[in-house]
Amino acid sequence: MAYRKFRADQLFDGYHLHGNGKVLITDETGKVEEIVSFSEAGDDIQILSGILSPGLINCHCHLELSHLKNVIPPHTGLIEFLCSVVTKRDFPREVIDQEIIKAEKEMYDDGIVAVGDIGNTADTAEVKSKSKIRWQNF
């Protein structure tokens, strides 16, 4: 079995932040096998800058409404938000599709590996079918 080894400035295991004295070891599929001290890790360690952490989960998303980002002002309250969603949904199909693509890429680039998405249309189906993110649709 081939293993991959990673060392970063910081290693977050989901509970604790470790310094760069630790090495994350995964199998070839990316499944975490163990975290060991640098002195125990051996050769072939990939050195990374920044913080290495588990993938993030977005538990509540409305990907189909991505085109409304920066259109509906924040902190207006639930009633105003819902009214705005209903009255400001009429965008050209191309804009809606582009904003869905952009939002999915932004989440992936930010380290999100799984999303719980609330949807009422099939507008996001194509993007989700090609996504590296795992989707749970509600």
Side-chain angles (χ1 to χ4, degrees):
M1 175 176 286
Y3 292 100
R4 297 186 67 196
K5 302 173 187 177
F6 304 94
R7 181 180 185 191
D9 299 327
Q10 295 287 327
L11 174 64
F12 183 61
D13 64 11
Y15 300 98
H16 302 96
L17 192 61
H18 304 275
N20 68 359
K22 298 288 186 176
V23 175
L24 174 72
I25 301 177
T26 71
D27 68 13
E28 67 273 359
T29 67
K31 178 183 173 192
V32 173
E33 293 292 325
E34 61 183 324
I35 297 173
V36 300
S37 67
F38 177 71
S39 62
E40 298 173 38
D43 297 330
D44 299 323
I45 300 170
Q46 184 176 348
I47 307 297
L48 306 168
S49 295
I51 299 173
L52 184 61
S53 75
L56 304 172
I57 298 173
N58 179 342
C59 296
H60 186 136
C61 178
H62 296 269
L63 188 62
E64 71 185 28
L65 301 179
S66 297
H67 61 286
L68 296 176
K69 183 178 180 180
N70 300 321
V71 172
I72 299 174
H75 312 295
T76 57
L78 182 59
I79 302 300
E80 181 60 32
F81 171 78
L82 294 174
C83 290
S84 293
V85 167
V86 172
T87 60
K88 297 180 180 179
R89 266 187 106 133
D90 194 25
F91 278 70
R93 169 64 31 210
E94 308 82 51
V95 171
I96 293 171
D97 292 343
Q98 275 307 113
E99 291 301 316
I100 288 170
I101 292 167
K102 182 177 163 187
E104 185 275 341
K105 181 184 183 321
E106 183 180 333
M107 283 191 280
Y108 181 77
D109 289 347
D110 287 345
I112 293 173
V113 297
V115 177
D117 188 43
I118 294 88
N120 297 297
T121 69
D123 291 353
T124 61
E126 184 176 349
V127 169
K128 289 176 182 176
S129 72
K130 298 173 185 172
S131 179
K132 294 179 184 177
I133 296 172
R134 170 169 265 163
W135 294 89
Q136 178 63 53
N137 299 302
F138 301 103

